[in-house]
Amino acid sequence: MNNHQRSFFFNVDWVTVLIYLALCVIGWFNIHAAVFDENHPNILDFDTQYGKQFIYILSALVIGTVILLLESRFLSALAPAFYVVTVVLLAVVLVAGRNVGGNQAWIDMGGGFRLQPSEFAKFATCLLLARYLSATNVKVTDPKSFLIAGGIIFLPMLLIKMQPDDGSTLVFCSLILVLYREGLSVYFLIIIGLLATLFISALLVNVWFIIIALIAIVALLLFMFGRRNRKFVASLIVGLVLSIGFIFCVKPLYYHGLKPHQRVRIDEVLGLSKDLRGVGYNQNQSKIAIGSGRIWGKGYLQGTQTKYAFVPEQSTDFIFCTVGEEWGFAGSVVVLGLYLFLLLRIIMIAERQRAPFSRIYGYGVASIIFCHVIINIAMAIGYMPVIGIPLPFISYGGSSLWSFTILLFILLKLDSNRMGMNYA
């Protein structure tokens, strides 16, 4: 056995691979339950979604194995090429793509197979971002470096937004966590959080009440900490003025900057409107399904919400409600626990890397998977608007499963060769 073979068999993080396989199998069985057809009961019936998902899983394992057999240096060297190809595909899909569910996000490949370039843009963007940030003399705190890194993230975001695919666009915003890990000030994240809080508050609460509350908070901070610190006083006053200005911009931005279908979905989540037979139907049925599962669930293939197709898109966007209904709270905790374990494992892998390129890429993987899991599950239980993004490794679909497999297995390959990687 040569050194390369020993590296493949002994250095791969097999714990992460086992978590990956567990999630894939859970997804396969839940897709079977979500779209079960009594005329096609065999889970390996390739005319059904669950039969096709089995093929997707097998092909994903082949893709993962090929990645593990690649030379690690190629991944960094080819990062610009991967990025350019996916950007070109994102541009092509705007012109010649197929519209599915209101999004022109698919390329027909023939034989009933469709490719979604936005899924593959995620790992390509992570690779190029890691390559750039790991270069010598590049620091996130430097304005030029920050703008270039932001541009790498923003270009695919813009093209995906034009499809329009709001869910995938939002996922790319999670890469701000990578920049934070590489030195971006925590104040930047605090400002983003405050702006989000002010935006929601301005929609729910009287504007003048918010302004009075802000003035009171600033006055208290000035009294406690601002007596001898002129810079602190100036910062608070400027922040207060900008916050008040932002509050008055919220409603014009909301009512004129968002499309009607986007507003009604947000209104539904915030409780500003209730339309359980219209825009709120999907989430209401999803919550009923999850709640009806109680502690232990109704049992495999026994979910009534699932069996009678009350929840639309149940094998993709709302696959988690199948977990909740048939496997109950206990099954949901197991799935969430697997995701938590996977994310912690990815962060651990990222932190033990010798090469900055590998570490940065690892945090990109963690950010994207974390964002997908949080948004998808929050959407299923009614805490976020319906924006249509898959649950990693569990939702039905080849493009989604393959892209997440590539995303994860590239990290596993980089980790398996970490002791020999001193470049980047």
Side-chain angles (χ1 to χ4, degrees):
M1 182 179 289
N2 59 39
N3 290 334
H4 183 70
Q5 289 173 320
R6 283 197 294 270
S7 174
F8 176 78
F9 285 108
F10 297 112
N11 292 341
V12 172
D13 193 285
W14 293 108
V15 174
T16 302
V17 174
L18 287 174
I19 300 171
Y20 161 82
L21 291 173
L23 289 170
C24 288
V25 171
I26 288 170
W28 182 34
F29 278 98
N30 278 282
I31 291 166
H32 181 231
V35 293
F36 180 74
D37 184 350
E38 293 181 354
N39 297 318
H40 300 271
N42 188 349
I43 196 171
L44 291 175
D45 189 330
F46 300 127
D47 291 327
T48 64
Q49 284 190 355
Y50 32 93
K52 292 176 182 177
Q53 187 70 10
F54 179 71
I55 296 175
Y56 295 150
I57 292 171
L58 290 182
S59 55
L61 291 175
V62 172
I63 292 171
T65 302
V66 170
I67 291 172
L68 292 178
L69 292 172
L70 289 175
E71 171 59 50
S72 298
R73 293 179 184 273
F74 290 154
L75 298 171
S76 175
L78 294 177
F82 289 140
Y83 185 83
V84 170
V85 169
T86 55
V87 166
V88 170
L89 289 175
L90 288 173
V92 168
V93 82
L94 294 174
V95 179
R98 180 173 178 178
N99 193 300
V100 178
N103 294 337
Q104 190 163 321
W106 304 85
I107 296 176
D108 261 319
M109 304 298 289
F113 175 68
R114 300 191 302 263
L115 188 72
Q116 189 176 10
S118 60
E119 291 294 333
F120 298 94
K122 295 167 187 174
F123 83 83
T125 303
C126 284
L127 279 173
L128 187 61
L129 185 65
R131 175 174 167 137
Y132 174 71
L133 291 177
S134 61
T136 307
N137 299 325
V138 172
K139 295 183 178 180
V140 175
T141 51
D142 176 57
K144 180 182 176 181
S145 299
F146 177 77
L147 288 174
I148 293 174
I152 291 171
I153 299 170
F154 181 74
L155 179 56
M157 276 182 65
L158 177 63
L159 293 171
I160 293 169
K161 177 62 179 173
M162 292 169 66
Q163 293 177 1
D165 183 351
D166 297 327
S168 294
T169 303
L170 185 60
V171 167
F172 277 80
C173 295
S174 69
L175 293 176
I176 192 70
L177 297 175
V178 178
L179 303 184
Y180 167 68
R181 170 60 183 83
E182 293 307 305
L184 187 67
S185 173
V186 68
Y187 292 112
F188 193 86
L189 296 180
I190 292 173
I191 290 171
I192 293 175
L194 288 174
L195 289 176
T197 303
L198 287 175
F199 187 90
I200 295 172
S201 299
L203 295 175
L204 297 175
V205 183
N206 185 282
V207 170
W208 292 108
F209 178 81
I210 300 172
I211 292 173
I212 292 171
L214 286 174
I215 293 173
I217 292 171
V218 169
L220 180 62
L221 290 173
L222 288 174
F223 176 77
M224 294 175 64
F225 307 108
R227 295 180 181 180
R228 298 181 180 179
N229 193 332
R230 293 182 180 181
K231 187 177 180 180
F232 178 73
V233 172
S235 299
L236 278 179
I237 293 173
V238 170
L240 176 62
V241 172
L242 291 176
S243 297
I244 292 173
F246 177 76
I247 289 169
F248 281 111
C249 292
V250 167
K251 289 190 175 179
L253 286 172
Y254 185 69
Y255 289 106
H256 300 291
L258 296 179
K259 294 180 180 179
H261 74 275
Q262 294 171 326
R263 291 200 303 272
V264 294
R265 288 175 179 176
I266 295 174
D267 286 347
E268 188 74 22
V269 172
L270 295 179
L272 297 174
S273 65
K274 284 291 179 186
D275 184 9
L276 300 183
R277 295 187 177 182
V279 69
Y281 176 82
N282 290 16
Q283 284 187 321
N284 186 54
Q285 294 299 322
S286 176
K287 289 188 287 186
I288 290 173
I290 293 170
S292 67
R294 300 192 178 182
I295 300 297
W296 303 110
K298 297 176 180 176
Y300 186 55
L301 299 180
Q302 301 303 311
T304 53
Q305 293 291 111
T306 295
K307 186 177 293 185
Y308 299 110
F310 282 105
V311 184
E313 308 296 337
Q314 192 163 343
S315 64
T316 52
D317 299 343
F318 286 94
I319 190 68
F320 187 72
C321 75
T322 306
V323 177
E325 182 178 23
E326 299 204 345
W327 304 103
F329 178 76
S332 299
V333 168
V334 170
V335 171
L336 289 173
L338 284 171
Y339 278 123
L340 178 61
F341 192 18
L342 177 64
L343 287 167
L344 291 175
R345 196 78 189 175
I346 291 171
I347 292 172
M348 183 199 75
I349 290 172
E351 287 295 338
R352 72 187 182 193
Q353 300 307 303
R354 296 176 64 187
F357 172 82
S358 303
R359 182 189 67 245
I360 296 166
Y361 178 80
Y363 271 90
V365 175
S367 298
I368 287 176
I369 292 178
F370 172 76
C371 187
H372 265 272
V373 172
I374 291 296
I375 292 177
N376 182 277
I377 294 177
M379 183 178 68
I381 60 178
Y383 283 97
M384 281 199 71
V386 178
I387 54 177
I389 66 170
L391 191 59
F393 313 114
I394 290 183
S395 290
Y396 170 76
S399 291
S400 169
L401 179 60
W402 295 336
S403 67
F404 280 117
T405 298
I406 294 170
L407 188 74
L408 180 62
F409 275 73
I410 286 176
L411 177 63
L412 293 176
K413 176 57 187 177
L414 294 173
D415 178 60
S416 71
N417 197 37
R418 66 183 181 275
M419 299 308 294
M421 289 180 64
N422 295 311
Y423 62 89

Coordinates of all heavy atoms in Angstrom, one line a residue, residues 79 82-83 86-87 90 120-131 149 152-154 156-157 172 175 361 368:
A79 N -9.7 26.6 -8.4 CA -10.8 27.4 -7.8 C -11.3 28.5 -8.8 O -12.5 28.6 -9.0 CB -10.3 28.0 -6.5
F82 N -13.4 26.8 -11.5 CA -14.7 26.4 -11.0 C -15.7 27.6 -10.9 O -16.9 27.5 -11.3 CB -14.6 25.7 -9.7 CG -14.0 24.4 -9.7 CD1 -13.1 24.0 -8.7 CD2 -14.3 23.5 -10.7 CE1 -12.5 22.7 -8.7 CE2 -13.7 22.2 -10.7 CZ -12.8 21.8 -9.7
Y83 N -15.2 28.7 -10.4 CA -16.0 29.9 -10.2 C -16.4 30.5 -11.5 O -17.6 30.8 -11.7 CB -15.1 30.9 -9.4 CG -15.9 32.2 -9.0 CD1 -16.6 32.2 -7.9 CD2 -15.8 33.4 -9.8 CE1 -17.3 33.4 -7.5 CE2 -16.4 34.5 -9.4 CZ -17.2 34.5 -8.3 OH -17.9 35.6 -7.9
T86 N -19.2 28.3 -13.1 CA -20.5 28.4 -12.5 C -21.2 29.8 -12.7 O -22.4 29.9 -12.9 CB -20.4 28.2 -10.9 OG1 -19.5 29.1 -10.4 CG2 -20.1 26.8 -10.6
V87 N -20.3 30.8 -12.8 CA -20.9 32.2 -13.1 C -21.4 32.2 -14.5 O -22.5 32.7 -14.8 CB -19.8 33.2 -12.9 CG1 -20.2 34.6 -13.6 CG2 -19.5 33.5 -11.4
L90 N -24.7 30.4 -14.5 CA -25.7 31.3 -13.9 C -26.2 32.3 -14.9 O -27.4 32.7 -14.9 CB -25.2 31.9 -12.7 CG -25.0 31.1 -11.4 CD1 -24.2 31.8 -10.3 CD2 -26.3 30.5 -10.9
F120 N -24.4 24.6 -7.4 CA -22.9 24.3 -7.6 C -22.1 25.6 -7.4 O -20.9 25.5 -7.1 CB -22.7 23.7 -8.9 CG -23.3 22.4 -9.1 CD1 -24.6 22.3 -9.7 CD2 -22.7 21.2 -8.7 CE1 -25.2 21.1 -9.9 CE2 -23.3 20.0 -8.8 CZ -24.6 19.9 -9.4
A121 N -22.8 26.7 -7.5 CA -22.1 28.0 -7.3 C -21.6 28.2 -5.8 O -20.7 28.9 -5.5 CB -23.0 29.2 -7.7
K122 N -22.2 27.4 -4.9 CA -21.9 27.5 -3.5 C -20.5 27.0 -3.2 O -19.7 27.7 -2.6 CB -23.0 26.8 -2.7 CG -24.3 27.4 -2.7 CD -25.4 26.5 -2.2 CE -26.8 27.1 -2.4 NZ -27.9 26.2 -2.0
F123 N -20.2 25.8 -3.7 CA -18.8 25.3 -3.4 C -17.8 26.1 -4.2 O -16.7 26.3 -3.7 CB -18.8 23.8 -3.6 CG -18.6 23.4 -5.1 CD1 -17.3 23.3 -5.6 CD2 -19.6 23.0 -5.9 CE1 -17.1 22.9 -6.9 CE2 -19.4 22.6 -7.2 CZ -18.1 22.6 -7.7
A124 N -18.1 26.5 -5.4 CA -17.2 27.2 -6.3 C -16.8 28.6 -5.6 O -15.7 29.0 -5.6 CB -17.8 27.5 -7.7
T125 N -17.8 29.2 -5.1 CA -17.6 30.5 -4.4 C -16.8 30.3 -3.1 O -15.9 31.1 -2.8 CB -19.0 31.2 -4.0 OG1 -19.7 31.4 -5.2 CG2 -18.7 32.5 -3.4
C126 N -17.1 29.3 -2.4 CA -16.3 29.0 -1.2 C -14.8 28.7 -1.5 O -13.9 29.2 -0.8 CB -16.8 27.7 -0.5 SG -18.3 28.1 0.5
L127 N -14.6 28.0 -2.6 CA -13.2 27.7 -3.0 C -12.4 29.0 -3.4 O -11.3 29.2 -3.0 CB -13.2 26.7 -4.2 CG -13.4 25.2 -3.9 CD1 -13.5 24.4 -5.2 CD2 -12.2 24.7 -3.1
L128 N -13.1 29.8 -4.2 CA -12.4 31.0 -4.7 C -12.2 32.0 -3.5 O -11.1 32.7 -3.4 CB -13.1 31.7 -5.8 CG -12.4 32.9 -6.4 CD1 -11.1 32.5 -7.1 CD2 -13.3 33.6 -7.5
L129 N -13.2 32.1 -2.6 CA -13.1 33.0 -1.5 C -11.9 32.5 -0.6 O -11.1 33.3 -0.1 CB -14.4 33.0 -0.7 CG -14.5 33.9 0.5 CD1 -14.4 35.4 0.0 CD2 -15.8 33.7 1.3
A130 N -11.8 31.2 -0.4 CA -10.7 30.6 0.4 C -9.4 30.9 -0.2 O -8.4 31.3 0.4 CB -10.9 29.1 0.6
R131 N -9.3 30.8 -1.5 CA -8.0 31.0 -2.2 C -7.6 32.5 -2.1 O -6.4 32.8 -1.9 CB -8.2 30.6 -3.7 CG -6.9 30.9 -4.5 CD -7.0 30.4 -5.9 NE -5.9 31.0 -6.7 CZ -5.2 30.4 -7.6 NH1 -5.3 29.1 -7.8 NH2 -4.3 31.0 -8.3
A149 N -13.2 40.5 -1.6 CA -13.9 39.3 -1.0 C -15.4 39.4 -1.2 O -16.1 38.5 -1.5 CB -13.5 39.1 0.4
I152 N -16.5 38.7 -4.7 CA -16.5 37.3 -5.0 C -17.8 36.7 -4.6 O -18.4 35.8 -5.3 CB -15.3 36.6 -4.3 CG1 -14.0 37.0 -5.0 CG2 -15.5 35.0 -4.4 CD1 -12.8 36.5 -4.2
I153 N -18.3 37.1 -3.4 CA -19.6 36.6 -2.9 C -20.8 37.2 -3.7 O -21.8 36.5 -4.0 CB -19.8 36.9 -1.4 CG1 -18.6 36.2 -0.6 CG2 -21.1 36.4 -0.9 CD1 -18.5 36.6 0.8
F154 N -20.7 38.5 -4.0 CA -21.8 39.3 -4.5 C -22.2 38.9 -6.0 O -23.4 38.9 -6.3 CB -21.5 40.8 -4.4 CG -22.7 41.6 -4.9 CD1 -23.8 41.8 -4.2 CD2 -22.6 42.3 -6.2 CE1 -24.9 42.6 -4.6 CE2 -23.6 43.1 -6.6 CZ -24.8 43.2 -5.8
P156 N -22.2 36.0 -7.9 CA -23.2 34.9 -8.0 C -24.5 35.2 -7.3 O -25.6 34.8 -7.8 CB -22.5 33.7 -7.4 CG -21.4 34.2 -6.5 CD -21.0 35.5 -7.2
M157 N -24.4 36.0 -6.2 CA -25.7 36.4 -5.5 C -26.5 37.2 -6.5 O -27.8 37.0 -6.6 CB -25.3 37.2 -4.3 CG -25.0 36.5 -3.0 SD -24.7 37.6 -1.7 CE -26.3 38.4 -1.5
F172 N -26.0 32.8 0.4 CA -24.7 33.4 0.1 C -24.3 34.4 1.2 O -23.1 34.7 1.5 CB -24.6 34.0 -1.3 CG -24.3 32.9 -2.3 CD1 -25.3 32.1 -2.8 CD2 -23.0 32.8 -2.8 CE1 -25.1 31.2 -3.8 CE2 -22.8 31.8 -3.8 CZ -23.8 31.0 -4.3
L175 N -21.9 33.7 4.2 CA -20.5 33.7 4.0 C -19.8 34.9 4.8 O -18.6 34.9 4.9 CB -20.0 33.7 2.6 CG -20.4 32.4 1.8 CD1 -20.0 32.5 0.3 CD2 -19.7 31.2 2.4
Y361 N -12.0 27.5 3.8 CA -13.0 26.7 3.0 C -13.9 26.0 4.0 O -15.1 25.9 3.8 CB -12.3 25.8 2.1 CG -13.3 24.9 1.3 CD1 -13.9 25.4 0.2 CD2 -13.6 23.6 1.8 CE1 -14.9 24.6 -0.4 CE2 -14.5 22.8 1.1 CZ -15.2 23.4 0.0 OH -16.1 22.6 -0.6
I368 N -22.6 27.6 5.0 CA -23.7 27.3 4.1 C -24.6 26.2 4.6 O -25.9 26.4 4.5 CB -23.1 26.9 2.7 CG1 -22.5 28.2 2.0 CG2 -24.1 26.3 1.8 CD1 -21.8 27.9 0.7

